[in-house]
Amino acid sequence: MNVSVDNLPLLIGLILLSPPIVSVVGAIGLVEPLGLWRKEVFSRVLGWLGVLGSLVSLLGSIAMALALLQGSGAALVLPLGIGAYLLTDALSTYFILLVNAIAFVSSWNAVGYLRGARPTSRWRSPAAFHLTSQLFHVTMILVPLMNNLVALWIAMQATTLVSTLLVGFEDTRNAREAAWKYLIITSTGIIFALLGTMFLAKAAGNETLISAADAQQQSVMNWTFLMDHAGELESKLVRLSFLFVLVGYGTKAGFAPMHTWLPDGHGEAPPPISAMLSGVLLKSALYAILRFYTITNANLGEHNFTSAVLLGAAILSLLIATPFILKKNRFKRVLAYHSLEHMGIITFGIGIGGPIAMFGALLHVLNHAVTKALMFLAFGNIVRGYARASAQADFAIDQPAGVLRRMPITGAMLTLGGLALVGMPPFNIFMSELMMLWGAVEQLQPLSGGAQPALWWLYMAGVIVFLLSTMLIFYGLVRHLTGIVLQPQPAHERLQERVADLFPIGILMAMVVVFGVWIVPSLSQLIARCVDIVWGAA
Amino acid sequence: MVELITPLQNVQNLLETGLLLTALLITMDRSISHIIAIYQIQSLLLAIVTVLSVASQIPESQRISWIILLIILLPLLLALVVRPLLARATILAHTRLTLSKWLGYRLHLLTSGRFGVRTEQVEQLSRDAEQEWLRPQDSFRVRGTYLLVFVAMLLAALLIASQIEAGDNPESIAGRIGLLASLVLALSGLYNTVIKQDIISQVIGLLMMDHGLYLAVVKIVPIPFPASFFVIGLYFYTLITMFILVILLPGVREVAESIELAHVSERSELKG
């Protein structure tokens, strides 16, 4: 397929505008004289419109990726006026692709999840859900598109605000408490991210750089400008900036010890939203950290500082997540702790550095998103199916049992997804974890002069903690899964599994299996280009 | 060449020291009424410091940038709305405090009820909430601990500020106090969200962090550009703060049945 770089503005328009159309239609339906939100037909049409919008967005982002790969692969910086610029290099394209892929399956799942749901109020109706979730989709696309680092922060805040509405959507006591905790903790964390961004602005705030930016008609806070002039930034401030940004965006990414909102937020949100939160929102925050990571490495001329800090964060996250996965808990909370674990694993890969570990880490971003989305959506379908069967209006069942007997297809996918999540071969997560381990071993080899690399002790500690935690979480998740899929239940008649509901999780299951043995060549090339951007600066 | 500190800078430094003092007082106090009052004073001080700081950075030949006006609106807005909104959340009043009522509430003082606003409704909210805001002060030992932690934060902020503002000239030393104040406000605000025993005081801690952020933009970012993007960011952040005050806080208060964190934890199912 020939897509030229000249089509990029059109593609970006398609990607950005398709989901909001649904939000606009939804907003019209919420207006009281019309009162369309009360009608199930309207909600269903809106849901399917959301699926279509997400699909258009996904196809647009695939076309964008192909255009970049066929062209020179260089970044395209599109001016928006008011000093804002859109960036479409390989790294931003990869993350946009990820957001759209997960948003597509989540929006499809949401249609089935909300089927038959009775709207209790205007703002708790299925129509309001579809409106807000499409808005959430748009805000997450904006994050990787922003070239200006302050605009990136603003986009991240937009994701926080919209996702809070979705976390508290079910309006139960737990949901409200989870939304409160989520917004308070991430808001306090994100302040540090803005402080870090300000320190970087200060580092770049000399007359020479400001004049150079004006001459190029760019903002001095554009990532592309900062990368071109990285050597001219004040190093002390750049280091300080990276530390603050790691705390700030790290809170949003769920790094320990700022992770306390994560199990509540992901556990109480509706399953399609949990899939989005775990699958892509955490990765959006990681994307922001990666942009600062590249600037810091380019400025310092080496990666020891950033590696040390990231490895420290990774080890802490792995150590804290593992005991909670082993402990008996509600399944959605266990999945949320798994997200903390896997964010630690991805950060371990980035901290280890080197092209192989970096490739593994970036591939793991996709693999974890797909597998975690599969788990949340499949579990959501199971809970919904059991609740409908028992005709409980409040869908209070959150620990179903005997799933393999009552919903065999969904149960099988949940089981296989769980095995994939803990790194069993031949699934996708095993592939990316193996790459990171391989990269770590390579980095630990003595240098050409025979000396050990600097920080080898930290790398070794990271590898040991990584191996221990992956073994322990295997036991933890399998124990939880066994209770859900195999434990006998008094009622054992088979429950309905609609094809339309199975399709989205089927797509994810296929990706989990296929990516374990084969990576699509275009995707591999795209990730390799991302590695050039992220690792090339070191 | 060493430049002397001007009288204007002296006033600025004095006000910035006042900001540090308000941060300490909020940390040490448990009475919610007092904390809100000190927060409002902090907002006013911040607005004045902002005007002085930005005015001193602009060459005399230029007109005052619109950015100054935009930044000072934020602490003034929060000072105006914080007491009634917190009162409304505390007693779960279902008063719809619309924009026209707010404007009318303030303009009523000048126009004698032209907007037909019942200002006593707003005042009554605060009076009713104050019953729940009464609480005993902490012991000297506990307050001593808060003081020690505050001093530690001050030292940490001084260390960071010294990395940012280098040089020995008085102008940069004077600038360091403002930067120090912004970092202390952010850190002590965070500390307050952790140590306070009720959700209202936790929110004040968050609002104090907002103040730290506003001041940091003024002190750290070169104006007028790229400060404009930072100002947009501050406005967006304030929007989120308003969302917390207007929607989220009353929602949590309703399910918690109390403003005390201990009650919230007791009834919470979100554990483990």
Side-chain angles (χ1 to χ4, degrees):
Chain A
M1 175 180 159
N2 263 336
V3 183
S4 128
V5 170
D6 295 334
N7 298 134
L8 272 172
L10 170 66
L11 292 173
I12 292 171
L14 271 177
I15 291 165
L16 270 178
L17 292 176
S18 317
I21 290 171
V22 180
S23 297
V24 167
V25 173
I28 293 169
L30 289 179
V31 169
E32 200 41 60
L34 290 171
L36 294 172
W37 58 272
R38 291 187 180 89
K39 301 190 186 331
E40 195 184 333
V41 168
F42 175 74
S43 303
R44 215 181 294 167
V45 165
L46 198 63
W48 284 112
L49 206 55
V51 176
L52 186 64
S54 302
L55 180 62
V56 169
S57 212
L58 176 61
L59 293 174
S61 51
I62 291 171
M64 189 162 90
L66 289 173
L68 270 174
L69 291 174
Q70 285 166 8
S72 65
L76 184 69
V77 180
L78 298 175
L80 264 188
I82 61 164
Y85 292 83
L86 300 184
L87 173 64
T88 55
D89 63 3
L91 190 65
S92 61
T93 305
Y94 180 59
F95 277 81
I96 291 170
L97 199 53
L98 179 71
V99 168
N100 285 330
I102 303 300
F104 169 61
V105 289
S106 296
S107 58
W108 193 333
N109 181 270
V111 175
Y113 182 76
L114 292 169
R115 193 175 59 248
R118 285 187 295 276
T120 51
S121 69
R122 188 188 343 190
W123 295 109
R124 303 286 167 219
S125 61
F129 181 89
H130 292 306
L131 183 167
T132 322
S133 60
Q134 292 302 319
L135 261 180
F136 183 36
H137 181 185
V138 167
T139 56
M140 283 204 295
I141 295 173
L142 283 175
V143 170
L145 269 180
M146 292 292 129
N147 192 5
N148 187 301
L149 294 176
V150 190
L152 189 153
W153 184 88
I154 296 171
M156 193 67 75
Q157 276 294 75
T159 67
T160 305
L161 184 59
V162 182
S163 55
T164 303
L165 297 172
L166 290 164
V167 167
F169 186 79
E170 293 188 343
D171 207 26
T172 57
R173 188 211 150 81
N174 287 349
R176 284 199 201 180
E177 200 184 317
W180 164 260
K181 233 170 157 176
Y182 172 58
L183 191 55
I184 292 291
I185 295 173
T186 53
S187 295
T188 52
I190 210 89
I191 284 175
F192 288 93
L194 190 60
L195 283 171
T197 312
M198 281 188 229
F199 295 152
L200 194 61
K202 180 80 177 170
N206 61 66
E207 288 297 328
T208 320
L209 284 175
I210 293 175
S211 311
D214 286 340
Q216 291 172 36
Q217 293 182 317
Q218 279 207 64
S219 165
V220 81
M221 286 305 291
N222 280 1
W223 180 83
T224 44
F225 180 83
L226 287 166
M227 283 301 289
D228 287 342
H229 296 90
E232 297 164 60
L233 306 173
E234 207 181 314
S235 296
K236 223 170 15 175
L237 284 170
V238 170
R239 275 182 222 249
L240 200 58
S241 161
F242 184 73
L243 288 173
F244 271 72
V245 155
L246 187 66
V247 170
Y249 287 126
T251 306
K252 200 77 206 272
F255 290 169
M258 296 89 66
H259 68 283
T260 48
W261 61 270
L262 207 156
D264 300 338
H266 292 201
E268 298 306 319
I273 302 305
S274 300
M276 294 276 273
L277 292 174
S278 235
V280 286
L281 187 60
L282 301 183
K283 315 307 191 302
S284 298
L286 184 73
Y287 169 85
I289 293 171
L290 281 175
R291 288 296 184 189
F292 282 85
Y293 170 82
T294 52
I295 293 170
T296 309
N297 287 343
N299 174 256
L300 299 177
E302 46 87 12
H303 68 96
N304 287 335
F305 171 72
T306 49
S307 287
V309 174
L310 287 171
L311 278 172
I315 291 170
L316 195 58
S317 297
L318 290 170
L319 287 174
I320 287 179
T322 306
F324 286 97
I325 294 169
L326 297 174
K327 188 178 155 224
K328 195 164 165 57
N329 211 332
R330 286 190 288 152
F331 192 61
K332 279 181 82 179
R333 289 181 77 84
V334 173
L335 290 178
Y337 279 113
H338 265 279
S339 294
L340 170 59
E341 170 90 18
H342 282 276
M343 288 307 290
I345 289 171
I346 294 168
T347 312
F348 163 79
I350 298 169
I352 286 287
I356 301 173
M358 199 61 75
F359 190 100
L362 288 170
L363 180 61
H364 201 80
V365 163
L366 174 65
N367 287 342
H368 174 253
V370 165
T371 316
K372 190 51 64 67
L374 166 65
M375 295 299 284
F376 273 117
L377 297 184
F379 188 70
N381 283 1
I382 290 166
V383 167
R384 198 78 182 180
Y386 273 56
R388 284 191 179 122
S390 65
Q392 284 190 5
D394 62 353
F395 308 109
I397 296 173
D398 56 5
Q399 289 293 99
V403 170
L404 271 178
R405 187 190 284 272
R406 300 194 73 190
M407 296 177 78
I409 303 173
T410 315
M413 286 201 262
L414 184 79
T415 309
L416 292 174
L419 293 175
L421 198 61
V422 296
M424 278 260 312
F427 300 115
N428 55 352
I429 286 200
F430 171 76
M431 170 78 84
S432 43
E433 286 183 351
L434 186 66
M435 276 188 200
M436 284 188 270
L437 207 51
W438 174 10
V441 168
E442 197 206 30
Q443 289 290 93
L444 280 167
Q445 298 302 311
L447 301 171
S448 55
Q452 286 286 358
L455 303 174
W456 68 267
W457 54 271
L458 190 58
Y459 286 21
M460 189 61 89
V463 168
I464 292 169
V465 172
F466 171 80
L467 287 171
L468 275 174
S469 65
T470 45
M471 285 189 294
L472 288 170
I473 64 168
F474 179 90
Y475 165 71
L477 187 68
V478 166
R479 198 177 68 149
H480 280 98
L481 261 182
T482 314
I484 292 170
V485 299
L486 294 176
Q487 194 173 327
Q489 228 209 1
H492 47 255
E493 73 279 7
R494 192 142 164 208
L495 299 175
Q496 189 189 27
E497 292 179 278
R498 293 163 68 114
V499 171
D501 296 342
L502 289 175
F503 218 80
I505 55 177
I507 294 171
L508 292 169
M509 188 75 242
M511 289 169 79
V512 165
V513 172
V514 167
F515 287 169
V517 294
W518 181 64
I519 303 169
V520 176
S522 306
L523 181 62
S524 182
Q525 274 179 47
L526 185 63
I527 299 176
R529 294 256 172 98
C530 294
V531 172
D532 289 340
I533 293 171
V534 178
W535 185 243
Chain B
M1 186 172 107
V2 173
E3 293 182 23
L4 296 173
I5 301 176
T6 64
L8 193 65
Q9 282 168 332
N10 271 328
V11 170
Q12 201 178 308
N13 290 343
L14 202 61
L15 293 173
E16 284 159 359
T17 311
L19 285 172
L20 288 174
L21 198 58
T22 55
L24 176 62
L25 290 173
I26 288 175
T27 306
M28 305 277 279
D29 211 313
R30 272 205 75 198
S31 163
I32 297 176
S33 289
H34 294 169
I35 290 172
I36 293 174
I38 299 168
Y39 173 79
Q40 287 173 315
I41 294 169
Q42 192 181 81
S43 302
L44 284 172
L45 286 177
L46 182 60
I48 299 168
V49 163
T50 305
V51 174
L52 292 177
S53 301
V54 182
S56 66
Q57 290 175 42
I58 295 176
E60 284 163 5
S61 57
Q62 287 186 18
R63 287 184 306 178
I64 293 175
S65 170
W66 54 271
I67 294 171
I68 305 169
L69 294 172
L70 289 180
I71 294 177
I72 65 170
L73 280 177
L74 295 172
L76 291 177
L77 169 71
L78 288 176
L80 198 64
V81 305
V82 70
R83 184 177 286 271
L85 284 178
L86 291 177
R88 176 174 165 265
T90 302
I91 59 170
L92 289 178
H94 295 289
T95 313
R96 290 192 63 189
L97 296 168
T98 60
L99 182 61
S100 58
K101 282 187 181 174
W102 278 117
L103 288 173
Y105 166 56
R106 289 298 167 201
L107 289 173
H108 175 76
L109 299 170
L110 302 170
T111 62
S112 303
R114 183 175 170 178
F115 290 89
V117 170
R118 298 194 303 279
T119 59
E120 53 273 20
Q121 182 185 23
V122 174
E123 297 293 349
Q124 186 62 40
L125 271 179
S126 295
R127 278 197 293 272
D128 291 343
E130 269 166 39
Q131 298 307 309
E132 281 211 46
W133 289 347
L134 285 172
R135 56 207 52 233
Q137 293 295 343
D138 289 309
S139 65
F140 279 118
R141 200 163 133 196
V142 172
R143 287 203 271 177
T145 312
Y146 294 160
L147 180 62
L148 277 173
V149 174
F150 188 86
V151 169
M153 286 188 296
L154 194 65
L155 292 171
L158 191 59
L159 193 64
I160 296 170
S162 63
Q163 299 293 311
I164 297 168
E165 292 282 359
D168 292 326
N169 70 64
E171 207 172 87
S172 100
I173 293 170
R176 225 176 281 184
I177 299 175
L179 186 53
L180 178 70
S182 69
L183 293 170
V184 169
L185 283 173
L187 290 173
S188 60
L190 178 62
Y191 183 56
N192 273 267
T193 61
V194 171
I195 61 167
K196 294 296 188 194
Q197 312 283 318
D198 61 271
I199 54 179
I200 304 295
S201 302
Q202 272 195 331
V203 170
I204 295 284
L206 184 67
L207 294 175
M208 203 154 67
M209 291 184 83
D210 288 4
H211 280 178
L213 208 54
Y214 301 152
L215 189 57
V217 168
V218 172
K219 291 294 170 184
I220 299 173
V221 179
I223 62 158
F225 196 86
S228 45
F229 255 112
F230 281 100
V231 172
I232 296 171
L234 290 185
Y235 266 79
F236 199 84
Y237 191 80
T238 308
L239 176 68
I240 291 177
T241 307
M242 291 303 292
F243 175 78
I244 293 173
L245 287 171
V246 175
I247 293 170
L248 211 57
L249 181 60
V252 160
R253 167 66 181 86
E254 195 173 9
V255 298
E257 297 168 15
S258 166
I259 62 171
E260 302 298 331
L261 276 175
H263 293 170
V264 174
S265 310
E266 262 170 33
R267 290 169 172 77
S268 175
E269 292 169 11
L270 300 179
K271 288 176 178 133

